[in-house]
Amino acid sequence: MELRRRLRLLSVTVAATPLVLVGCTADHLPGVRQANAAPPQLTVTPGDRSRDVPISAEVGTAVTGGKITAVRLTDDKGAQVPAEPREDGSSWVPTRPLQNSRTYTAEVTATGDRGRTTTRKTTFTTMARSDKPTITSVLNVDGNQTYGTAMPVVVTFDPPIPKEARADVQRRLFVKTDPPQPGTWSWVADGKQVEYRAPDFWKPGTRISVRSALEGLPIGKDAFGDVDRAASAKVGRQVSLDIDNATKQMSVYRDGKLLRKIPVSLGKPSTPTSSGSMVIMQKFEYTTFDTRGDPMGGYVVDVEDAQRLTNGGEFIHAAPWSEGDQGNTNVSHGCTNVSNANADWLMGITQVGDLVTVKGTEVTLDQGNGWTAWNVGWDEFAKGSALPVPAGLKPTVTATPHPGVEAGGSAPAPARSRSGG
């Protein structure tokens, strides 16, 4: 009797055990985890019913426990406004400026890892057109053009951007490249100019898309950005010019191969040429130099095949009057003089955005006197950013004998660099 009673108790215990196990693992059954999982937490800006919102507004999104899976922005007529996400996912940026005194609705959905969703909707009204002054901006990239591999993206401002406003402005400057080749913006000290480049030269064939999305952006307390500008361009072959004052020679390279050596006459001691790394900014078959406002004394002269290197007026150009001095004596007002034949040949070889390096002259190039992004090394350039620069963004090549040796290679050590005729 006692033995049979113990066996019955044992069988009851064994039979009950699977029921306990099933109870412990019930959350693995379909639908149970989803029912118990918390939905993602989502915050959207501008806040609901916000008024006087700048037309540069973005749809800000902050999510915990999930990711943004849908954003829809519509105006007060029901039309959808296209927008693109920032790389860090912090906001969605309308692809064109919003309009003044209009109402917009943003509907954002976030989805958690277990499939639960949260949707937030916010409606806001933009500010009326302001009578505050605008800051003029100029973008150096034109659409459907082909540029050299050293072409920086440059935005200039009038009046200059104060330090405290530079981060906000920089966040509204966008560059995309195909293939991807990330870089950073760097401000010239006076705030008149900000330049963008990658650690290495652009690879030939790269497509560059730029947007300076500044229209309606509050800049400081008393001004707004002027115009939203955008352009797409292509990078062409690699061409670079090396000018050595010691030899009075220009070496012209294409894709790392020396094409020609050209005798030059640089700036005389009273008006020396700048030493440094600069970029061809403009090309003119014919132009007129008029320096009559120069306190050092001015002149007016017509020139052919002129290529601008600095804002201050340094060019490479044809100078038949100095052909006897080219290769041995500096007689110019700061420009690089070459013969008619060589100037004509250069115009067919170079592109806006090609690197020109001058060394051995009496003065150095001032940052911001032209497109000077390559006149300093990468570490120094990155220090000029008003926003954090990714730590891993570095040149792939630490020392290149010449920028034309490898397409897409890094810059040589910058020379230390100055205007003319």
Side-chain angles (χ1 to χ4, degrees):
M1 290 287 292
E2 183 64 25
L3 177 61
R4 285 198 298 272
R5 190 171 68 84
R6 289 179 179 178
L7 289 175
R8 283 198 301 271
L9 288 173
L10 179 61
S11 66
V12 170
T13 303
V14 172
T17 300
L19 296 177
V20 174
L21 291 176
V22 170
C24 289
T25 59
D27 60 351
H28 290 289
L29 295 176
V32 175
R33 270 188 178 273
Q34 182 172 335
N36 294 335
Q41 297 180 349
L42 175 62
T43 302
V44 178
T45 56
D48 193 34
R49 300 184 183 180
S50 295
R51 305 187 64 82
D52 294 327
V53 175
I55 62 172
S56 60
E58 305 174 14
V59 179
T61 56
V63 60
T64 302
K67 61 182 179 180
I68 303 299
T69 51
V71 174
R72 179 178 173 83
L73 180 63
T74 54
D75 64 20
D76 45 20
K77 296 181 180 180
Q80 186 166 351
V81 179
E84 297 180 349
R86 286 187 176 272
E87 289 185 5
D88 62 5
S90 61
S91 67
W92 287 62
V93 183
T95 58
R96 61 178 183 268
L98 303 180
Q99 297 180 23
N100 292 105
S101 302
R102 296 286 298 274
T103 298
Y104 294 86
T105 299
E107 185 174 301
V108 181
T109 298
T111 302
D113 295 338
R114 299 173 184 174
R116 297 201 65 179
T117 63
T118 299
T119 298
R120 294 280 183 267
K121 184 181 287 187
T122 181
T123 298
F124 59 92
T125 301
T126 55
M127 64 187 296
R129 190 175 298 278
S130 174
D131 57 1
K132 289 183 179 180
T134 58
I135 292 180
T136 300
S137 62
V138 178
L139 176 64
N140 73 329
V141 177
D142 291 325
N144 301 315
Q145 298 295 310
T146 299
Y147 295 109
T149 57
M151 180 69 174
V153 180
V154 180
V155 184
T156 56
F157 302 96
D158 184 20
I161 305 298
K163 278 189 176 182
E164 62 272 15
R166 292 177 191 175
D168 289 338
V169 170
Q170 188 173 324
R171 277 185 58 82
R172 296 289 294 179
L173 304 176
F174 303 93
V175 178
K176 293 181 180 180
T177 58
D178 183 20
Q181 195 174 345
T184 190
W185 293 92
S186 181
W187 291 85
V188 174
D190 61 11
K192 293 180 180 178
Q193 182 169 300
V194 64
E195 303 176 304
Y196 182 98
R197 71 167 174 94
D200 301 325
F201 295 112
W202 303 122
K203 295 177 174 63
T206 295
R207 303 292 309 189
I208 302 176
S209 298
V210 184
R211 182 183 177 198
S212 173
L214 299 177
E215 185 170 345
L217 177 72
I219 301 178
K221 297 179 180 179
D222 301 315
F224 288 90
D226 62 342
V227 178
D228 196 291
R229 308 175 191 276
S232 294
K234 182 180 178 180
V235 177
R237 61 189 180 274
Q238 186 159 29
V239 173
S240 53
L241 314 180
D242 276 4
I243 302 169
D244 188 348
N245 185 41
T247 62
K248 307 293 188 293
Q249 296 287 320
M250 173 195 296
S251 299
V252 182
Y253 296 86
R254 184 169 62 196
D255 297 326
K257 297 180 180 179
L258 179 64
L259 298 183
R260 183 179 291 193
K261 280 187 172 288
I262 296 174
V264 300
S265 178
L266 303 179
K268 56 191 175 182
S270 60
T271 54
T273 303
S274 299
S275 286
S277 295
M278 51 205 85
V279 173
I280 295 173
M281 303 170 65
Q282 293 173 301
K283 297 176 65 171
F284 303 95
E285 290 187 5
Y286 302 94
T287 191
T288 300
F289 294 161
D290 186 346
T291 67
R292 286 174 292 185
D294 192 322
M296 299 292 291
Y299 57 89
V300 178
V301 61
D302 296 327
V303 297
E304 297 182 5
D305 298 329
Q307 305 191 52
R308 179 184 284 275
L309 304 180
T310 70
N311 296 331
E314 295 185 43
F315 287 76
I316 300 169
H317 65 83
W321 56 86
S322 71
E323 286 192 24
D325 297 299
Q326 293 166 19
N328 55 74
T329 307
N330 290 336
V331 296
S332 84
H333 290 82
C335 289
T336 299
N337 288 182
V338 297
S339 68
N340 276 343
N342 283 325
D344 181 67
W345 178 81
L346 279 171
M347 288 288 283
I349 295 293
T350 61
Q351 310 148 114
V352 170
D354 287 340
L355 190 75
V356 179
T357 303
V358 180
K359 66 179 183 179
T361 65
E362 296 88 343
V363 295
T364 57
L365 182 65
D366 294 327
Q367 288 301 108
N369 184 14
W371 302 342
T372 52
W374 294 99
N375 194 48
V376 293
W378 173 254
D379 290 343
E380 185 68 22
F381 182 80
K383 288 179 183 177
S385 174
L387 297 172
V389 178
L393 204 56
K394 297 289 183 181
T396 57
V397 182
T398 56
T400 301
H402 183 275
V405 171
E406 294 182 23
S410 61
R416 277 310 181 186
S417 315
R418 199 183 145 163
S419 318

